[in-house]
Amino acid sequence: MAIVCPSYAGPCGGKTTTASRLRSFFETLGWKVFNVTEAATILLGGGVTFSELSLKQVDLFQENIIRTIIQLEKVYDDLAKLQEECVLIICDRGVMDPSA
């Protein structure tokens, strides 16, 4: 069994603290916990400066963020399906985040 827990709070909204507490709690119960890293952070860390993008580039970038989020979540979901123990998947942001 896998439970996916997306987090949608804004900056300083307690996402990291909540994820850490959830991880500790469920690991104590014997669950396997996966943490899906925020896709935008990965991509922006590669040198993209959002404010320098044209509107066309912004649209393309947002589309690719969504594709990346879906793929990252799929990787952990596929792994979770093969685990014998219960699994919690914590998503740092989720696929609806780029729409905000």
Side-chain angles (χ1 to χ4, degrees):
M1 175 174 96
I3 296 175
V4 178
C5 180
S7 58
Y8 295 109
C12 298
K15 293 184 306 294
T16 302
T17 300
T18 300
S20 176
R21 289 181 181 169
L22 281 171
R23 173 182 287 281
S24 295
F25 177 79
F26 280 94
E27 285 178 340
T28 300
L29 297 177
W31 286 47
K32 178 68 179 173
V33 179
F34 294 125
N35 187 61
V36 182
T37 304
E38 182 184 10
T41 299
I42 294 169
L43 297 175
L44 290 169
V48 174
T49 303
F50 201 77
S51 62
E52 295 175 355
L53 300 179
S54 69
L55 289 178
K56 187 173 182 175
Q57 289 173 316
V58 167
D59 287 345
L60 181 62
F61 188 74
Q62 290 288 73
E63 179 182 326
N64 281 300
I65 286 176
I66 292 169
R67 290 178 194 273
T68 303
I69 292 169
I70 290 168
Q71 186 58 41
L72 286 169
E73 290 177 4
K74 183 183 181 319
V75 167
Y76 290 102
D77 187 57
D78 288 349
L79 288 173
K81 290 174 184 172
L82 299 176
Q83 292 293 128
E84 293 187 19
E85 67 263 60
C86 293
V87 177
L88 173 66
I89 302 171
I90 302 172
C91 301
D92 186 351
R93 306 285 184 164
V95 78
M96 291 304 295
D97 188 58
S99 66

